[in-house]
Amino acid sequence: MRLILDNVSITNSTGPAITASGGGTTIVYTMAGTTNTVSDGEQYTVTGKKKPDAAIYTTNLTLAGEGTLTVNGNHEEGVHSTGGLVISNGTLNVNSVKTGIKGKNYVDILGGEVSVNSQKDAIKATNSKEEGYGWARITGGTVTVIAGDDGLKAIRTVEIADGTLNIEKAREGVEGQYINIFGGAVSVNSIDDGINASLKDPLPDGQEAEDDPTPDGQPQQEPSGSVGGARDTTEVIDAAINISGGQVTVNVEGDGIDSNGSQTYTGGTVTINGPSTYLNNSVDANGELLLNGVNIAAAGSGAEMFKVPSEKSTNGYLRVVDLDVFTPGRTVQVTDTETGAVVANYTVVTTGVQLFFVSNPSLVKGNNYTVYTVSGPVQEGSTTLAPGAVEVGTYAAE
């Protein structure tokens, strides 16, 4: 079914504004230059074995077009596909009293301007029962999120290959069993973990449509990862974070990047501002932590929780513990002690810093590096020491 929206406002006070059933795909297309709004009511009178719960409620759904679509989910969800959900282009604004955008089998964002303001999870895929499902992917466009709970979440795999993800506010920013970041720009502001790889138990039948029957049609291929793993977060489980490219910035009160399994960094630039709370860590992995080619810097509390990178890491790293000199607004510069060349720059954001951590390919294990602080900003990528820099100390890369 194809539904073309051309400057329309659709409201249903007793049920979904747009709904479709069956195994086919519903395409909602907005005409270029148009502004369209769909809204449901707070209370539904719709009955049936599978009750709808969203302003747009369909089996398989594609949102496309070159216009603007605003979705107001006043009952529970904003957009809910009980199969797969694709967002290809256009401008989509979703406001919801519970989840903003939910595709049971997958959520695939190819492009467009997507904005979600939700009182619970913003964007998620929930199918934990069938192999190849339960994934969310961003390969283009700009996604902006404000969430009362998780920002971008998949029961299995989250993949970011390109585009921009800006989580302005969330309890946890990005969550999945497997999290793969290949490119793009990712910014997370969270109360708890910024990026978290863990394995969740399936929700009970009847909750958030987890027991909806699988729709007819061929499934899309899962980006990566597989089903399985333990659920004891004190041990190493089948969960992983892999960052090989892109620009990742995390501002966090809890753990910055946390995996109950492994973490592997092979490229990209990662900046972690935090944690700001006790017994958390900027980079936390129950399993192996590999630093191979990434440019990563972090400052926050958690000196006592430091995770030692694997000896198999090709990057060297420095960790500096100091409670006084790493204050917000100051820039940390790291120089090669022998040559004087600056090999890392980091601007302190978090208060109460106990630990500064930096790793990149320029840090050679066993070589000495001198750490300085500067009372102000330094040009990004600067390779020269700023005037007025104050020496903190010299340390050997590990």
Side-chain angles (χ1 to χ4, degrees):
M1 181 182 78
R2 179 187 294 262
L3 179 62
I4 299 175
L5 304 182
D6 187 354
N7 283 322
V8 300
S9 178
I10 304 172
T11 300
N12 183 0
S13 62
T14 59
I18 297 174
T19 184
S21 60
T25 297
T26 298
I27 300 173
V28 177
Y29 185 93
T30 57
M31 295 294 291
T34 67
T35 301
N36 308 274
T37 303
V38 299
S39 308
D40 62 1
E42 295 182 8
Q43 301 296 326
Y44 280 15
T45 60
V46 179
T47 60
K49 184 177 180 180
K50 301 298 179 185
K51 295 181 180 179
D53 60 2
I56 298 179
Y57 183 85
T58 72
T59 305
N60 296 301
L61 176 64
T62 296
L63 299 175
E66 299 176 355
T68 298
L69 174 61
T70 297
V71 180
N72 299 310
N74 299 307
H75 176 63
E76 289 186 5
E77 326 293 328
V79 180
H80 183 181
S81 165
T82 61
L85 173 58
V86 176
I87 300 171
S88 65
N89 58 337
T91 300
L92 174 65
N93 304 310
V94 179
N95 308 293
S96 66
V97 298
K98 286 192 176 180
T99 299
I101 296 172
K102 178 164 66 177
K104 179 180 178 181
N105 291 341
Y106 55 84
V107 177
D108 203 2
I109 300 176
L110 310 178
E113 301 284 332
V114 180
S115 176
V116 182
N117 191 327
S118 62
Q119 294 182 27
K120 293 189 70 177
D121 299 331
I123 302 170
K124 68 179 179 182
T126 59
N127 191 339
S128 62
K129 299 179 181 179
E130 298 171 273
E131 188 170 357
Y133 285 134
W135 55 268
R137 175 169 58 188
I138 299 174
T139 58
T142 299
V143 180
T144 304
V145 163
I146 297 174
D149 201 352
D150 298 331
L152 175 64
K153 177 179 183 178
I155 201 72
R156 290 292 177 250
T157 303
V158 174
E159 182 174 294
I160 301 169
D162 203 350
T164 299
L165 172 63
N166 181 17
I167 299 177
E168 295 183 349
K169 180 181 178 182
R171 174 162 291 280
E172 288 200 347
V174 179
E175 184 176 63
Q177 184 179 356
Y178 311 103
I179 298 172
N180 304 313
I181 300 176
F182 304 129
V186 178
S187 175
V188 175
N189 299 275
S190 64
I191 297 171
D192 200 350
D193 296 344
I195 298 175
N196 179 31
S198 60
L199 181 58
K200 302 295 185 182
D201 289 319
L203 294 171
D205 285 350
Q207 184 173 347
E208 297 188 341
E210 290 294 308
D211 61 344
D212 282 352
T214 302
D216 295 333
Q218 295 296 319
Q220 293 196 11
Q221 183 179 0
E222 184 185 12
S224 55
S226 60
V227 177
R231 291 183 173 83
D232 184 353
T233 59
T234 65
E235 299 181 359
V236 179
I237 68 168
D238 183 12
I241 294 172
N242 301 290
I243 297 178
S244 60
Q247 183 92 26
V248 179
T249 303
V250 176
N251 302 297
V252 64
E253 295 181 27
D255 289 327
I257 300 180
D258 179 18
S259 173
N260 293 332
S262 64
Q263 290 190 38
T264 301
Y265 298 82
T266 57
T269 299
V270 179
T271 303
I272 304 171
N273 303 313
S276 60
T277 52
Y278 184 61
L279 293 179
N280 287 292
N281 194 5
S282 299
V283 180
D284 186 19
N286 288 9
E288 189 173 52
L289 171 61
L290 280 169
L291 304 174
N292 296 339
V294 68
N295 188 331
I296 184 170
S301 63
E304 71 289 342
M305 303 293 291
F306 180 75
K307 171 68 178 183
V308 177
S310 169
E311 293 181 357
K312 293 185 289 185
S313 298
T314 58
N315 281 15
Y317 71 90
L318 299 177
R319 53 174 168 171
V320 181
V321 178
D322 196 297
L323 303 180
D324 298 319
V325 300
F326 297 131
T327 56
R330 295 191 72 87
T331 297
V332 183
Q333 291 193 290
V334 179
T335 68
D336 184 308
T337 304
E338 183 176 345
T339 66
V342 172
V343 296
N345 297 284
Y346 173 84
T347 300
V348 180
V349 173
T350 306
T351 59
V353 170
Q354 297 175 342
L355 173 71
F356 169 67
F357 167 73
V358 62
S359 177
N360 63 51
S362 296
L363 294 173
V364 179
K365 295 178 183 180
N367 286 6
N368 289 327
Y369 298 89
T370 305
V371 177
Y372 298 84
T373 63
V374 182
S375 61
V378 172
Q379 185 175 358
E380 186 176 354
S382 174
T383 57
T384 58
L385 193 64
V390 177
E391 182 176 334
V392 175
T394 298
Y395 308 87
E398 299 181 66

